[in-house]
Amino acid sequence: MTSILELQRPLGSGFTAFSTAEEVLAGLDLTGRNVLVTGGHRGLGLASTEALSRAGALVTVAARDTGAAARAVAGLDGVRVEQLDLLDPRSVDALAARWTRSGRPLHVLINNATVFHRERVVDARGYETTFAVAFLGHFQLTLGLLPALRAAHGARVVNVASGSHRLSDIRWDDPHFARGYDSDLAYGQSKTALVLFAGELDRRWAADGIRGYSLHPGISVITSLRKGSEALHDLTQLRAMGLIGEGGEPVIDPEREKKTPEQAAATIVFAAASPVLDGVGGVYLKNADIAPVDARPLTAEMLAVGDVTSDLAPHAADPASARRLWDLGERLLAG
C-alpha cells in the first residue's frame, strides 16, 4: 500500500498561490451536487460557499447562529442554512439525522468551522474546545453522515486544517490541556488532528467511494478568526507578523501565504470539486495542489525570522497516529 508521505508530491495542477476559488472552479458544472459547509457563512467558509454556489452546487451552511448565517448568505442561489453546534453532541446528531431522513446524497462535506481561545475553555464534557470543535465535533458529524456520503457514489470530505499543524503533534497524554495550556499549541494540535483524520478516513472509506483531504488555505487577515469579540491576534501582533501595514490595511502577498479570501478559498474548493484529484485521496493540500513534505521541526527561531513553511509535517501523516486518533475520537464520543 502506498503511504501518504509517498503521495505528497505536487501534481502540477496548473494553479498557484495567486489562484482564486473562481479560477479553480472555472468550467466545472456542479449542478445537482449537495455540499455541506460548517461555518460556511463567514470568512473562508463564506468565500467557498459563494464560489460553489455560483458553480451550481446546492450548498447547506451549518451554523450555530442560524440568523447570522441566513443574513450572510441571503441572495445566494441554492444556499440554505441548518443549525449546528459542534460542541453539543445532540445538535450534531440532529443535523446528521435530518440529512439522512431527507434522502439526499451528500457529495461534499467541508469541515471548516473552528475556534481559537487565548485562555483554556472547556465544554460541558470537560473537553478543551479548540480540539472539541475542530476535530471531535467534525468527527462525530462525519460519522453520522456516512450513509449520505455513501449514497453519493463518489463523495469528498474536506478538512480545513492549517500549516499550524506543524506546531504540535497530538498530546496523547493530555489532549485537553489540563496542564500547561498554550493557545498556539492547542490550535496546532487541532489542525494536526484534522490532517490525521482525513488520512485515516480515506484509508477506511475509499472503497466506498469516499475520499478524504486536508489542506492549508493560506492566511487571510481580512477574515481573521474571531470568537465573540476575541481576535486571533491583536493589531500589534498582526503588524509584527507582517499581516497588516502601519495603517491597518491587510498585506496581500500570496507567495508568502498572505491571501485574499478568494485566494485562500481556492484550495478548499479544489479539494471539494477539482477533477485533478480524481483517484487520489488522503493527501494534504496547499495552493490548490498537493503539498510537499517538510520534516524540519518548527522552532521559535524560525518563527522569529519568518522562516516558516505550511508544508506537511511527518507527524501529521503517521498512519499509526491516524488510527490511534480515530480510536480516541470514538472513545471521547462514547463519553
Side-chain angles (χ1 to χ4, degrees), residues 92-332:
V92 177
D93 283 343
L95 174 55
R98 289 195 303 273
W99 192 291
T100 301
R101 285 196 303 269
S102 76
R104 288 177 294 154
L106 179 58
H107 300 89
V108 182
L109 170 61
I110 301 178
N111 291 323
N112 166 73
T114 194
V115 295
F116 178 93
H117 292 291
R118 291 197 182 94
E119 305 296 330
R120 182 175 183 264
V121 179
V122 298
D123 66 10
R125 299 165 292 185
Y127 297 163
E128 192 276 320
T129 54
T130 311
F131 186 75
V133 168
F135 167 64
L136 193 60
H138 285 130
F139 181 68
Q140 180 186 356
L141 179 65
T142 305
L143 293 179
L145 290 169
L146 178 56
L149 291 165
R150 281 181 173 148
H153 301 292
R156 297 185 181 188
V157 175
V158 179
N159 291 345
V160 181
S162 165
S164 295
H165 79 272
R166 301 181 61 83
L167 290 169
S168 178
D169 199 346
I170 305 300
R171 288 166 51 116
W172 299 109
D173 62 336
D174 186 22
H176 301 301
F177 282 83
R179 304 181 304 275
Y181 181 77
D182 181 295
S183 57
D184 291 329
L185 294 182
Y187 188 72
Q189 174 187 245
S190 75
K191 297 305 183 181
T192 288
L194 287 172
V195 180
L196 290 169
F197 171 29
E200 180 64 5
L201 179 152
D202 194 81
R203 186 187 73 82
R204 290 173 180 248
W205 294 356
D208 291 327
I210 304 167
R211 307 311 302 257
Y213 305 93
S214 59
L215 63 94
H216 170 71
I219 303 167
S220 178
V221 71
I222 298 172
T223 56
S224 285
L225 181 62
R226 291 180 179 272
K227 174 63 177 174
S229 61
E230 180 183 51
L232 177 59
H233 297 285
D234 62 29
L235 293 179
T236 301
Q237 288 176 303
L238 292 173
R239 192 172 290 113
M241 295 167 67
L243 295 175
I244 62 172
E246 288 302 316
E249 71 283 359
V251 174
I252 305 301
D253 187 356
E255 290 182 322
R256 292 175 174 79
E257 308 288 354
K258 304 165 189 177
K259 299 184 177 185
T260 67
E262 294 75 22
Q263 290 168 337
T267 305
I268 300 175
V269 302
F270 176 77
S274 176
V276 174
L277 290 172
D278 286 350
V280 180
V283 289
Y284 168 82
L285 313 168
K286 78 169 194 178
N287 294 335
D289 205 335
I290 296 177
V293 176
D294 188 335
R296 296 179 301 164
L298 189 59
T299 66
E301 291 75 16
M302 292 167 65
L303 288 169
V305 300
D307 180 20
V308 296
T309 174
S310 56
D311 293 337
L312 180 65
H315 70 248
D318 180 71
S321 291
R323 290 191 291 270
R324 186 179 181 186
L325 178 69
W326 192 286
D327 292 342
L328 174 63
E330 290 181 330
R331 290 198 305 274
L332 291 174

Side-chain angles (χ1 to χ4, degrees), residues 18-41:
F18 293 84
S19 298
T20 65
E22 289 284 345
E23 291 167 347
V24 167
L25 295 177
L28 297 183
D29 182 1
L30 303 184
T31 301
R33 298 277 190 98
N34 294 312
V35 180
L36 175 61
V37 188
T38 66
H41 62 296

